[in-house]
Amino acid sequence: MLFLFCFGFSQQQLADGVLAVVGDKIILNSSVLEESFFRAQQEGLDPSSNPGLFRDLFSSVLKERIQRAVVVSAAERDTSISVSYNDIDENLDIRIDFFINQIGSVEALEKEMGLSLEEIKSKYWEEIKEELLVSSFQRSLFGGVYIT
C-alpha cells in the first residue's frame, strides 16, 4: 500500500517530514535531501544557482526511493526470498572498503562523513540489506528469462 504526501519543495519550509510511506517504509525529506545534495555535488550542480535543476534532482531521488520501497516491500512479503546477516556484512565490508579506497584511509572517511566507522556501517547496513533483497527478488522473477 502506498501513501504519498506531497509537500511543496522548499528547504527553508520543511526541515524534515514524511514524504512517502510504502508499506512499513517511511521516506523522510531529510534522507532524500541528503542524497540529492550528494548527487548534486557529484554532478557539479550548485543548488543555490540552479534551484530548478536541483528540484528536478530531488524529485528524481524521491521517485527512485518510492520505487525501491515498493520492490523491497514485495521482496519482504515473498517468503522464498531471504538474505543472511553474513551476506549483508560481507557486502557492507566491500562497500566500506570501496569508500576507504576512494578517499584514502579510514580516518579520512570518518572525517568526510562526520561519523565513526561503526556509525557508517550502521548507516549503510539497511541499504545493503535492501539492495540484496531487491537483487534476490529480481533473480527469482527473471532468473530464467533469456532474450533471443
Side-chain angles (χ1 to χ4, degrees), residues 3-4 16 24 28 31 41 49-50 56 61-62 67-69 72-73 81 83 85 88-89 101 107 114 126-127 137 139:
F3 297 100
L4 180 61
D16 206 0
D24 64 347
L28 296 175
S31 67
Q41 182 182 22
S49 64
N50 293 303
D56 292 345
V61 170
L62 176 58
Q67 290 170 341
R68 179 182 174 133
V72 168
S73 290
I81 306 295
V83 177
Y85 286 102
I88 298 168
D89 285 339
N101 287 332
E107 294 78 19
E126 188 67 26
E127 182 178 321
F137 187 61
R139 273 194 310 277

Side-chain angles (χ1 to χ4, degrees), residues 69-79 81 137:
V70 168
V71 174
V72 168
S73 290
E76 288 174 339
R77 285 192 309 271
D78 188 330
T79 57
I81 306 295
F137 187 61

Side-chain angles (χ1 to χ4, degrees), residues 3 9 15 20 22 25 27 36-37 41 55 63 66 74 93 95 105 138 141:
F3 297 100
F9 177 78
V22 180
K25 306 282 184 242
I27 301 171
S36 298
F37 277 117
Q41 182 182 22
R55 191 172 18 260
K63 182 179 176 181
I66 291 169
D93 288 342
R95 175 81 50 94
S105 70
Q138 288 172 333
L141 294 175

Side-chain angles (χ1 to χ4, degrees), residues 4-99:
L4 180 61
F5 301 98
C6 295
F7 295 99
F9 177 78
S10 173
Q11 185 179 348
Q12 294 80 22
Q13 279 182 337
L14 185 60
D16 206 0
V18 175
L19 295 178
V21 177
V22 180
D24 64 347
K25 306 282 184 242
I26 297 171
I27 301 171
L28 296 175
N29 182 65
S30 59
S31 67
V32 175
L33 196 57
E34 178 184 355
E35 185 173 340
S36 298
F37 277 117
F38 179 74
R39 286 191 188 180
Q41 182 182 22
Q42 286 182 318
E43 296 174 14
L45 173 66
D46 181 5
S48 60
S49 64
N50 293 303
L53 288 175
F54 186 74
R55 191 172 18 260
D56 292 345
L57 179 61
F58 181 90
S59 295
S60 175
V61 170
L62 176 58
K63 182 179 176 181
E64 289 170 15
R65 292 275 182 104
I66 291 169
Q67 290 170 341
R68 179 182 174 133
V70 168
V71 174
V72 168
S73 290
E76 288 174 339
R77 285 192 309 271
D78 188 330
T79 57
S80 68
I81 306 295
S82 66
V83 177
S84 73
Y85 286 102
N86 286 340
D87 288 342
I88 298 168
D89 285 339
E90 284 177 25
N91 282 273
L92 180 59
D93 288 342
I94 291 168
R95 175 81 50 94
I96 298 297
D97 288 345
F98 174 78
F99 290 157

